[in-house]
Amino acid sequence: MRTVEVLLDEAADAAVRDAWRRLAEAGLPSQARHRSPTNSPHLTLASCAELTAPIRWELAEVAALLPLPVRFTGAVRFERPTSVLAWALDLDTALAALHRRVWEAVASDTPPELLNPFHEPGRWSPHVTLGRTRRAGAFSDRRVPGLLPAPPLSVRLTAVRSYDTETGALEMLAPRH
């Protein structure tokens, strides 16, 4: 599978890495524990089996829309098959439009059964993961949010990338010129 992600500006990236560090120092699951050079703070917009030419064409158009200002709204927890602690993003009109465009691009050339239903518009919860584990309730302690720094008030989404979950390859997706 290939993800479609957007990266954060330098200040927001540093704030997320600080949150990762604090969680790790407290002995909690943290993205800081993933030592891969491809591991960096990001917002996942969608995933697909492959980046076909039609999908790439549309993603180049999306990349041309960046940078896009967005806003963190605070800590959020998810209990799906995994426990996730994240900073949520405000799903304003501009971010919703950007996401819809990416979703429509991947859905236009991906078999429906390969689309992640959590990425579908109306179900998607924009967030930047701070920690993840298969241990249910790992972030339910009331003290966990107090360990985190305050998320930055203003953030810019700066670039589009794709991660290949099978090969570990990372690809930056540039706008067409």
Side-chain angles (χ1 to χ4, degrees), residues 2-4 47-56 59 106 109-110 161-163 171 173:
R2 298 288 299 258
T3 63
V4 178
S47 60
C48 55
E50 65 177 298
L51 294 180
T52 63
I55 293 172
R56 286 176 179 281
L59 294 180
V106 299
D109 207 25
T110 301
R161 75 175 188 181
S162 178
Y163 177 72
E171 178 184 356
L173 302 171

PDB file of all heavy atoms in Angstrom, residues 2-4 47-56 59 106 109-110 161-163 171 173:
ATOM      1  N   ARG A   2       0.328   2.302  -0.550  1.00  0.00           N
ATOM      2  CA  ARG A   2       0.997   3.597  -0.570  1.00  0.00           C
ATOM      3  C   ARG A   2       0.135   4.595   0.191  1.00  0.00           C
ATOM      4  O   ARG A   2      -1.066   4.676  -0.020  1.00  0.00           O
ATOM      5  CB  ARG A   2       1.159   4.092  -2.009  1.00  0.00           C
ATOM      6  CG  ARG A   2       2.012   3.217  -2.908  1.00  0.00           C
ATOM      7  CD  ARG A   2       3.477   3.282  -2.570  1.00  0.00           C
ATOM      8  NE  ARG A   2       4.049   4.595  -2.702  1.00  0.00           N
ATOM      9  CZ  ARG A   2       4.797   4.995  -3.726  1.00  0.00           C
ATOM     10  NH1 ARG A   2       5.094   4.165  -4.695  1.00  0.00           N
ATOM     11  NH2 ARG A   2       5.280   6.208  -3.759  1.00  0.00           N
ATOM     12  N   THR A   3       0.756   5.336   1.088  1.00  0.00           N
ATOM     13  CA  THR A   3       0.037   6.400   1.786  1.00  0.00           C
ATOM     14  C   THR A   3       0.186   7.699   1.011  1.00  0.00           C
ATOM     15  O   THR A   3       1.129   7.860   0.235  1.00  0.00           O
ATOM     16  CB  THR A   3       0.586   6.618   3.202  1.00  0.00           C
ATOM     17  OG1 THR A   3       1.947   7.041   3.092  1.00  0.00           O
ATOM     18  CG2 THR A   3       0.468   5.369   4.048  1.00  0.00           C
ATOM     19  N   VAL A   4      -0.730   8.613   1.246  1.00  0.00           N
ATOM     20  CA  VAL A   4      -0.601   9.985   0.764  1.00  0.00           C
ATOM     21  C   VAL A   4      -0.650  10.852   2.016  1.00  0.00           C
ATOM     22  O   VAL A   4      -1.642  10.844   2.751  1.00  0.00           O
ATOM     23  CB  VAL A   4      -1.725  10.373  -0.215  1.00  0.00           C
ATOM     24  CG1 VAL A   4      -1.568  11.818  -0.658  1.00  0.00           C
ATOM     25  CG2 VAL A   4      -1.747   9.420  -1.420  1.00  0.00           C
ATOM     26  N   SER A  47      -4.817   6.339   1.469  1.00  0.00           N
ATOM     27  CA  SER A  47      -3.891   5.297   1.038  1.00  0.00           C
ATOM     28  C   SER A  47      -4.493   4.602  -0.172  1.00  0.00           C
ATOM     29  O   SER A  47      -5.705   4.639  -0.390  1.00  0.00           O
ATOM     30  CB  SER A  47      -3.622   4.300   2.166  1.00  0.00           C
ATOM     31  OG  SER A  47      -4.817   3.682   2.574  1.00  0.00           O
ATOM     32  N   CYS A  48      -3.624   3.992  -0.947  1.00  0.00           N
ATOM     33  CA  CYS A  48      -4.065   3.310  -2.160  1.00  0.00           C
ATOM     34  C   CYS A  48      -3.077   2.193  -2.472  1.00  0.00           C
ATOM     35  O   CYS A  48      -1.978   2.152  -1.913  1.00  0.00           O
ATOM     36  CB  CYS A  48      -4.190   4.273  -3.330  1.00  0.00           C
ATOM     37  SG  CYS A  48      -2.702   5.224  -3.705  1.00  0.00           S
ATOM     38  N   ALA A  49      -3.467   1.301  -3.372  1.00  0.00           N
ATOM     39  CA  ALA A  49      -2.610   0.177  -3.719  1.00  0.00           C
ATOM     40  C   ALA A  49      -1.351   0.642  -4.436  1.00  0.00           C
ATOM     41  O   ALA A  49      -0.268   0.142  -4.182  1.00  0.00           O
ATOM     42  CB  ALA A  49      -3.377  -0.814  -4.587  1.00  0.00           C
ATOM     43  N   GLU A  50      -1.489   1.599  -5.330  1.00  0.00           N
ATOM     44  CA  GLU A  50      -0.338   2.138  -6.049  1.00  0.00           C
ATOM     45  C   GLU A  50      -0.644   3.544  -6.531  1.00  0.00           C
ATOM     46  O   GLU A  50      -1.805   3.923  -6.679  1.00  0.00           O
ATOM     47  CB  GLU A  50       0.064   1.241  -7.223  1.00  0.00           C
ATOM     48  CG  GLU A  50      -0.984   1.161  -8.320  1.00  0.00           C
ATOM     49  CD  GLU A  50      -0.513   0.328  -9.495  1.00  0.00           C
ATOM     50  OE1 GLU A  50       0.492   0.698 -10.124  1.00  0.00           O
ATOM     51  OE2 GLU A  50      -1.153  -0.697  -9.767  1.00  0.00           O
ATOM     52  N   LEU A  51       0.405   4.300  -6.767  1.00  0.00           N
ATOM     53  CA  LEU A  51       0.247   5.657  -7.296  1.00  0.00           C
ATOM     54  C   LEU A  51       0.285   5.572  -8.812  1.00  0.00           C
ATOM     55  O   LEU A  51       1.337   5.656  -9.427  1.00  0.00           O
ATOM     56  CB  LEU A  51       1.354   6.576  -6.782  1.00  0.00           C
ATOM     57  CG  LEU A  51       1.354   6.871  -5.293  1.00  0.00           C
ATOM     58  CD1 LEU A  51       2.518   7.793  -4.943  1.00  0.00           C
ATOM     59  CD2 LEU A  51       0.042   7.492  -4.851  1.00  0.00           C
ATOM     60  N   THR A  52      -0.878   5.391  -9.400  1.00  0.00           N
ATOM     61  CA  THR A  52      -0.975   5.311 -10.853  1.00  0.00           C
ATOM     62  C   THR A  52      -0.782   6.703 -11.463  1.00  0.00           C
ATOM     63  O   THR A  52      -0.819   7.720 -10.743  1.00  0.00           O
ATOM     64  CB  THR A  52      -2.343   4.757 -11.263  1.00  0.00           C
ATOM     65  OG1 THR A  52      -3.348   5.686 -10.812  1.00  0.00           O
ATOM     66  CG2 THR A  52      -2.598   3.376 -10.659  1.00  0.00           C
ATOM     67  N   ALA A  53      -0.615   6.757 -12.762  1.00  0.00           N
ATOM     68  CA  ALA A  53      -0.429   8.050 -13.438  1.00  0.00           C
ATOM     69  C   ALA A  53      -1.588   9.016 -13.178  1.00  0.00           C
ATOM     70  O   ALA A  53      -1.345  10.194 -12.877  1.00  0.00           O
ATOM     71  CB  ALA A  53      -0.207   7.833 -14.939  1.00  0.00           C
ATOM     72  N   PRO A  54      -2.864   8.570 -13.270  1.00  0.00           N
ATOM     73  CA  PRO A  54      -3.956   9.512 -12.968  1.00  0.00           C
ATOM     74  C   PRO A  54      -3.918  10.037 -11.528  1.00  0.00           C
ATOM     75  O   PRO A  54      -4.205  11.211 -11.278  1.00  0.00           O
ATOM     76  CB  PRO A  54      -5.226   8.694 -13.222  1.00  0.00           C
ATOM     77  CG  PRO A  54      -4.806   7.595 -14.131  1.00  0.00           C
ATOM     78  CD  PRO A  54      -3.376   7.292 -13.770  1.00  0.00           C
ATOM     79  N   ILE A  55      -3.575   9.163 -10.584  1.00  0.00           N
ATOM     80  CA  ILE A  55      -3.493   9.603  -9.183  1.00  0.00           C
ATOM     81  C   ILE A  55      -2.342  10.596  -9.032  1.00  0.00           C
ATOM     82  O   ILE A  55      -2.498  11.648  -8.409  1.00  0.00           O
ATOM     83  CB  ILE A  55      -3.323   8.400  -8.231  1.00  0.00           C
ATOM     84  CG1 ILE A  55      -4.593   7.538  -8.226  1.00  0.00           C
ATOM     85  CG2 ILE A  55      -2.997   8.876  -6.813  1.00  0.00           C
ATOM     86  CD1 ILE A  55      -4.464   6.222  -7.472  1.00  0.00           C
ATOM     87  N   ARG A  56      -1.199  10.284  -9.608  1.00  0.00           N
ATOM     88  CA  ARG A  56      -0.043  11.195  -9.541  1.00  0.00           C
ATOM     89  C   ARG A  56      -0.374  12.566 -10.121  1.00  0.00           C
ATOM     90  O   ARG A  56       0.055  13.592  -9.599  1.00  0.00           O
ATOM     91  CB  ARG A  56       1.158  10.595 -10.270  1.00  0.00           C
ATOM     92  CG  ARG A  56       1.813   9.482  -9.508  1.00  0.00           C
ATOM     93  CD  ARG A  56       2.943   8.857 -10.335  1.00  0.00           C
ATOM     94  NE  ARG A  56       3.580   7.807  -9.594  1.00  0.00           N
ATOM     95  CZ  ARG A  56       4.477   7.990  -8.635  1.00  0.00           C
ATOM     96  NH1 ARG A  56       4.862   9.208  -8.310  1.00  0.00           N
ATOM     97  NH2 ARG A  56       4.998   6.971  -7.998  1.00  0.00           N
ATOM     98  N   LEU A  59      -2.396  14.418  -7.561  1.00  0.00           N
ATOM     99  CA  LEU A  59      -1.602  14.749  -6.376  1.00  0.00           C
ATOM    100  C   LEU A  59      -0.627  15.886  -6.662  1.00  0.00           C
ATOM    101  O   LEU A  59      -0.321  16.678  -5.765  1.00  0.00           O
ATOM    102  CB  LEU A  59      -0.881  13.515  -5.840  1.00  0.00           C
ATOM    103  CG  LEU A  59      -1.797  12.428  -5.283  1.00  0.00           C
ATOM    104  CD1 LEU A  59      -0.972  11.250  -4.783  1.00  0.00           C
ATOM    105  CD2 LEU A  59      -2.724  12.953  -4.200  1.00  0.00           C
ATOM    106  N   VAL A 106      -7.382   9.199  -5.237  1.00  0.00           N
ATOM    107  CA  VAL A 106      -7.050   7.790  -5.000  1.00  0.00           C
ATOM    108  C   VAL A 106      -8.248   6.890  -5.289  1.00  0.00           C
ATOM    109  O   VAL A 106      -8.079   5.788  -5.825  1.00  0.00           O
ATOM    110  CB  VAL A 106      -6.464   7.535  -3.586  1.00  0.00           C
ATOM    111  CG1 VAL A 106      -5.184   8.311  -3.379  1.00  0.00           C
ATOM    112  CG2 VAL A 106      -7.451   7.801  -2.501  1.00  0.00           C
ATOM    113  N   ASP A 109      -8.921   5.628  -9.048  1.00  0.00           N
ATOM    114  CA  ASP A 109      -8.111   4.608  -9.711  1.00  0.00           C
ATOM    115  C   ASP A 109      -7.635   3.523  -8.730  1.00  0.00           C
ATOM    116  O   ASP A 109      -6.543   2.987  -8.885  1.00  0.00           O
ATOM    117  CB  ASP A 109      -6.918   5.273 -10.415  1.00  0.00           C
ATOM    118  CG  ASP A 109      -6.426   4.475 -11.613  1.00  0.00           C
ATOM    119  OD1 ASP A 109      -7.228   3.700 -12.189  1.00  0.00           O
ATOM    120  OD2 ASP A 109      -5.245   4.605 -11.971  1.00  0.00           O
ATOM    121  N   THR A 110      -8.463   3.240  -7.721  1.00  0.00           N
ATOM    122  CA  THR A 110      -8.158   2.207  -6.735  1.00  0.00           C
ATOM    123  C   THR A 110      -9.405   1.358  -6.534  1.00  0.00           C
ATOM    124  O   THR A 110     -10.501   1.912  -6.366  1.00  0.00           O
ATOM    125  CB  THR A 110      -7.753   2.840  -5.380  1.00  0.00           C
ATOM    126  OG1 THR A 110      -6.607   3.671  -5.577  1.00  0.00           O
ATOM    127  CG2 THR A 110      -7.445   1.788  -4.331  1.00  0.00           C
ATOM    128  N   ARG A 161       3.862  13.749   0.354  1.00  0.00           N
ATOM    129  CA  ARG A 161       4.747  12.605   0.170  1.00  0.00           C
ATOM    130  C   ARG A 161       3.915  11.325   0.176  1.00  0.00           C
ATOM    131  O   ARG A 161       2.740  11.323   0.572  1.00  0.00           O
ATOM    132  CB  ARG A 161       5.819  12.548   1.252  1.00  0.00           C
ATOM    133  CG  ARG A 161       5.312  12.085   2.599  1.00  0.00           C
ATOM    134  CD  ARG A 161       6.431  11.922   3.590  1.00  0.00           C
ATOM    135  NE  ARG A 161       5.936  11.310   4.813  1.00  0.00           N
ATOM    136  CZ  ARG A 161       6.670  11.055   5.866  1.00  0.00           C
ATOM    137  NH1 ARG A 161       7.956  11.375   5.871  1.00  0.00           N
ATOM    138  NH2 ARG A 161       6.173  10.487   6.938  1.00  0.00           N
ATOM    139  N   SER A 162       4.565  10.250  -0.243  1.00  0.00           N
ATOM    140  CA  SER A 162       3.938   8.941  -0.209  1.00  0.00           C
ATOM    141  C   SER A 162       4.926   7.955   0.386  1.00  0.00           C
ATOM    142  O   SER A 162       6.120   8.005   0.095  1.00  0.00           O
ATOM    143  CB  SER A 162       3.542   8.498  -1.622  1.00  0.00           C
ATOM    144  OG  SER A 162       2.977   7.197  -1.578  1.00  0.00           O
ATOM    145  N   TYR A 163       4.404   7.062   1.207  1.00  0.00           N
ATOM    146  CA  TYR A 163       5.213   6.023   1.838  1.00  0.00           C
ATOM    147  C   TYR A 163       4.720   4.677   1.339  1.00  0.00           C
ATOM    148  O   TYR A 163       3.513   4.397   1.352  1.00  0.00           O
ATOM    149  CB  TYR A 163       5.071   6.121   3.364  1.00  0.00           C
ATOM    150  CG  TYR A 163       5.805   5.054   4.118  1.00  0.00           C
ATOM    151  CD1 TYR A 163       7.200   5.061   4.196  1.00  0.00           C
ATOM    152  CD2 TYR A 163       5.121   4.028   4.745  1.00  0.00           C
ATOM    153  CE1 TYR A 163       7.880   4.070   4.888  1.00  0.00           C
ATOM    154  CE2 TYR A 163       5.797   3.039   5.440  1.00  0.00           C
ATOM    155  CZ  TYR A 163       7.171   3.065   5.502  1.00  0.00           C
ATOM    156  OH  TYR A 163       7.839   2.091   6.184  1.00  0.00           O
ATOM    157  N   GLU A 171       8.598   8.821  -1.038  1.00  0.00           N
ATOM    158  CA  GLU A 171       8.658   9.618  -2.259  1.00  0.00           C
ATOM    159  C   GLU A 171       7.994  10.972  -2.036  1.00  0.00           C
ATOM    160  O   GLU A 171       6.851  11.030  -1.581  1.00  0.00           O
ATOM    161  CB  GLU A 171       7.939   8.868  -3.393  1.00  0.00           C
ATOM    162  CG  GLU A 171       7.903   9.606  -4.691  1.00  0.00           C
ATOM    163  CD  GLU A 171       7.094   8.878  -5.761  1.00  0.00           C
ATOM    164  OE1 GLU A 171       6.611   7.763  -5.523  1.00  0.00           O
ATOM    165  OE2 GLU A 171       6.949   9.468  -6.850  1.00  0.00           O
ATOM    166  N   LEU A 173       6.164  14.154  -3.518  1.00  0.00           N
ATOM    167  CA  LEU A 173       5.325  14.384  -4.692  1.00  0.00           C
ATOM    168  C   LEU A 173       5.278  15.890  -4.952  1.00  0.00           C
ATOM    169  O   LEU A 173       4.695  16.639  -4.181  1.00  0.00           O
ATOM    170  CB  LEU A 173       3.937  13.807  -4.477  1.00  0.00           C
ATOM    171  CG  LEU A 173       3.924  12.296  -4.167  1.00  0.00           C
ATOM    172  CD1 LEU A 173       2.543  11.845  -3.750  1.00  0.00           C
ATOM    173  CD2 LEU A 173       4.418  11.517  -5.368  1.00  0.00           C
TER     174      LEU A 173
END
